[in-house]
Amino acid sequence: MTDTALPPVIHKMLQADFYPHPVEEPIQLVQTHCSYVLLTGEFVYKVKKPVDFGFLNYSTLAKRKFYCYEELRLNQRGAAELYLEVVAITTSNGDYVLGGEGEAVEYALKMRQFPADGLLSTRFENGTITAGEIEELGRVVANYHRHTETNDYIRSFGTVEKVRESIDQNYEQTEVYIGKAQTLSQFEQTKAYTDNFFATKVELFNQRCANNFIRECHGDLHMGNICCWQGQILLFDCIEFNEPFRFVDVMYDVAFAVMDLQARHRPDLANIFLNTYLEQTGDWEGLQVLPLYLSRQAYVRAKVTSFLLDDSAISPAAKQQAAATAAAYYRQAWEYTQTHQGKIFLMSGVSGSGKSTTAKYISQHSGAILIRSDAVRKHLAGIGLLERGGEEIYTPEMTAKTYGRLSELGILLAQQGWTVILDAKFDRVELRQNVLKPAINAQIPVQIIECVAPESVLRSRLEARTGDIADATADLLTSQLAAAEPFTEEEKNYVKTLDTTSAIAPQLLDWGF
């Protein structure tokens, strides 16, 4: 936007003498489709544009005031350290004043400014993002959802009728961009997928509602709305302007982060985030709705970017870039609707044999869903993942439940096109057959990966293990080795044996990973 096109109040906010505190000059102005954001050094001021996009309406001063306070309230959940107050902008002697006694002519949300390199999107651009940060993000989002509100009113937004409203609205609002930023074929195929999903998955949506997975979520959880500040990962700039965008399935939030990581060409980090979140929450069934929301989130980024094509204040060069960005998002939305062949990997081996290390490597290089028996067992027992389980969670009955759920999840998800890694000892024929038989009957490809190492190595690894959810110790090793049952002749057709004392990657590469 040119300086002459800026509203007078924004012109004033670009001047240092407007503020009652020191500023770093020049004051930086960042624009989105609906806000002006002014970076002054220690503080950030956000002013909403007087726009009405249907799904977002800031067209009156009263609405802008209301949504400033809503934004402050809602962002206390994920970034209380950043969100400070709503400040009125008044006039005095014909000039704009921050605060003051006069009648408010505009409102600004005052926030604490963090270094630009703390933003996760910036860390991607700088190449400084780490797998550890993304793993921590998975834990932070899981905890965020654990404490979000739900009630009958919020849950009512999880029905098919409610969920499809915004998705159908996306299609209606983007038909004008066919031929400009997406193809007619992509548009029709993406829409046909969501239409079919809503027609055939009514009971699934009802289950998500009944199981309290419809909550007051963030609603816009991409890397540009996440930062690392003072040793914490903070989730900021949540959706305040539209209840249907905020009262959503938790997988709606998860999908935004996964989609954004994949759009940044880091499927490995998307996999780390997704598997960490799922392990923390135990919501593996949520993967049944994830493709719908992945497509939706890519599509909405395409839509919002497409709006820039109609903004008279945007330069031709910027519009050309916006068209290319929107086209990439439209294609990504379409790709999420394509069908895939599911597959199951069974990890096998005693404690300390390297199963989890191998499983993690495979998952990050194949996009597989990793389900560890240790996590499943503790979710079934109702204890924390890092809490040490007593003898009561290692009874034969609990083991049967644990492996039963592993089998159930593996078959369910593979039938829907996911590659699934079941990480457990699978040391008995019965336990393996409970997965193999239904998988073979359902024509799901299965691979057993047996991890082996000398007993001295196994013992050494277990003695050195810390900070993991697994409870197994070295004193259990002898009994585990004695109880392990050899593979049947039939099972041997599915087995590949991996020596984990040697480098894992070359061995897996030889197998086509």
Side-chain angles (χ1 to χ4, degrees):
M1 176 177 281
T2 62
D3 286 346
T4 56
L6 290 172
V9 67
I10 302 302
H11 269 292
K12 183 62 180 179
M13 295 182 77
L14 286 168
Q15 299 174 26
D17 61 1
F18 177 73
Y19 300 93
H21 53 76
V23 302
E24 293 180 5
E25 296 188 82
I27 293 169
Q28 297 179 54
L29 172 63
V30 178
Q31 292 194 62
T32 70
H33 62 290
C34 62
S35 299
Y36 301 103
V37 181
L38 296 107
L39 310 178
T40 72
E42 185 179 357
F43 302 109
V44 177
Y45 293 86
K46 182 177 181 181
V47 176
K48 300 182 185 301
K49 292 181 178 180
V51 294
D52 182 357
F53 293 127
F55 66 90
L56 174 155
N57 187 350
Y58 297 154
S59 59
T60 68
L61 180 62
K63 289 180 185 294
R64 294 195 294 280
K65 176 183 179 181
F66 173 79
Y67 285 118
C68 276
Y69 278 102
E70 278 293 273
E71 185 169 356
L72 176 66
R73 176 181 71 85
L74 291 165
N75 280 291
Q76 294 292 319
R77 302 174 304 168
E81 298 84 349
L82 300 181
Y83 284 76
L84 302 177
E85 61 178 329
V86 176
V87 185
I89 299 173
T90 61
T91 57
S92 177
N93 298 321
D95 203 1
Y96 293 105
V97 178
L98 188 62
E101 301 298 326
E103 183 179 353
V105 296
E106 195 53 84
Y107 291 88
L109 179 60
K110 181 180 179 181
M111 298 169 283
R112 197 170 300 281
Q113 185 171 327
F114 55 83
D117 60 5
L119 203 61
L120 289 203
S121 55
T122 302
R123 293 169 91 89
F124 271 96
E125 294 166 6
N126 296 340
T128 57
I129 196 78
T130 68
E133 287 173 336
I134 296 301
E135 190 172 335
E136 176 62 14
L137 176 62
R139 289 189 285 267
V140 167
V141 175
N143 188 59
Y144 180 89
H145 284 159
R146 194 173 292 121
H147 293 93
T148 49
E149 184 180 358
T150 189
N151 53 43
D152 288 344
Y153 177 66
I154 292 173
R155 282 188 291 271
S156 72
F157 285 80
T159 63
V160 165
E161 292 75 20
K162 284 289 188 179
V163 173
R164 76 174 304 162
E165 281 180 8
S166 66
I167 291 178
D168 286 347
Q169 187 180 69
N170 287 339
Y171 295 131
E172 293 167 6
Q173 293 174 337
T174 54
E175 283 190 80
V176 295
Y177 303 113
I178 294 173
K180 298 178 182 178
Q182 74 166 321
T183 68
L184 177 62
S185 176
Q186 280 181 2
F187 176 87
E188 291 178 340
Q189 289 182 41
T190 306
K191 186 176 185 304
Y193 170 86
T194 56
D195 287 345
N196 181 67
F197 200 101
F198 290 128
T200 60
K201 307 284 187 182
V202 174
E203 183 53 36
L204 175 59
F205 285 96
N206 292 339
Q207 289 173 4
R208 299 296 291 173
C209 293
N211 292 328
N212 289 327
F213 288 114
I214 314 304
R215 311 187 73 86
E216 187 171 42
C217 293
H218 184 283
D220 197 19
L221 198 62
H222 56 80
M223 297 303 109
N225 288 338
I226 304 168
C227 71
C228 294
W229 190 67
Q230 296 188 341
Q232 298 181 81
I233 289 182
L234 303 177
L235 315 178
F236 68 97
D237 203 18
C238 72
I239 295 292
E240 91 290 347
F241 53 79
N242 189 307
E243 284 185 343
F245 290 3
R246 186 172 76 248
F247 295 164
V248 290
D249 195 302
V250 292
M251 283 295 149
Y252 181 107
D253 271 358
V254 171
F256 242 133
V258 171
M259 178 279 297
D260 195 25
L261 290 165
Q262 292 176 338
R264 295 173 188 276
H265 309 293
R266 290 301 304 268
D268 57 326
L269 296 183
N271 179 264
I272 289 171
F273 168 77
L274 179 57
N275 276 320
T276 301
Y277 177 89
L278 294 173
E279 184 166 280
Q280 290 291 314
T281 63
D283 184 22
W284 289 286
E285 281 92 350
L287 291 166
Q288 296 174 93
V289 295
L290 185 62
L292 173 75
Y293 292 122
L294 285 169
S295 181
R296 188 269 177 199
Q297 309 311 31
Y299 203 96
V300 81
R301 297 309 300 172
K303 178 183 77 170
V304 170
T305 307
S306 295
F307 288 158
L308 296 175
L309 304 180
D310 302 323
D311 191 333
S312 60
I314 301 296
S315 69
K319 286 187 178 182
Q320 185 176 7
Q321 179 59 50
T325 300
Y329 277 123
Y330 282 125
R331 180 171 181 81
Q332 188 178 2
W334 169 78
E335 287 173 346
Y336 286 130
T337 68
Q338 303 306 293
T339 57
H340 302 277
Q341 171 63 62
K343 185 173 184 177
I344 296 176
F345 289 96
L346 288 188
M347 305 305 298
S348 181
V350 296
S351 299
S353 62
K355 298 187 303 300
S356 293
T357 300
T358 303
K360 184 178 291 187
Y361 180 93
I362 294 173
S363 70
Q364 292 175 21
H365 286 76
S366 66
I369 301 302
L370 173 56
I371 309 178
R372 296 199 282 174
S373 62
D374 300 292
V376 169
R377 188 184 296 269
K378 290 185 176 181
H379 280 299
L380 288 172
I383 66 174
L385 295 185
L386 293 177
E387 184 178 344
R388 187 164 189 81
E391 292 182 2
E392 70 280 359
I393 79 167
Y394 291 97
T395 62
E397 293 77 16
M398 182 59 86
T399 295
K401 287 183 180 179
T402 300
Y403 278 85
R405 178 142 172 79
L406 283 170
S407 175
E408 173 191 1
L409 288 170
I411 300 298
L412 172 69
L413 298 177
Q415 284 181 322
Q416 298 190 36
W418 295 96
T419 295
V420 185
I421 303 172
L422 302 181
D423 179 11
K425 292 197 303 292
F426 282 105
D427 55 349
R428 300 204 306 272
V429 172
E430 179 184 7
L431 299 178
R432 296 190 291 266
Q433 289 297 318
N434 285 342
V435 180
L436 279 174
K437 285 182 178 179
I440 292 169
N441 289 339
Q443 297 184 316
I444 298 170
V446 183
Q447 183 79 69
I448 300 174
I449 298 182
E450 178 193 27
C451 294
V452 298
E455 184 173 349
S456 60
V457 174
L458 301 174
R459 199 169 296 279
S460 176
R461 288 173 177 171
L462 290 172
E463 289 171 350
R465 178 184 283 171
T466 59
D468 189 70
I469 67 173
D471 292 335
T473 54
D475 59 336
L476 297 173
L477 191 54
T478 300
S479 61
Q480 285 187 10
L481 290 167
E485 297 175 357
F487 296 109
T488 66
E489 290 303 312
E490 178 198 21
E491 289 173 338
K492 289 177 182 178
N493 294 321
Y494 301 94
V495 177
K496 288 186 181 295
T497 301
L498 187 144
D499 177 4
T500 60
T501 62
S502 299
I504 293 173
Q507 297 178 75
L508 293 174
L509 187 62
D510 288 343
W511 298 347
F513 289 100

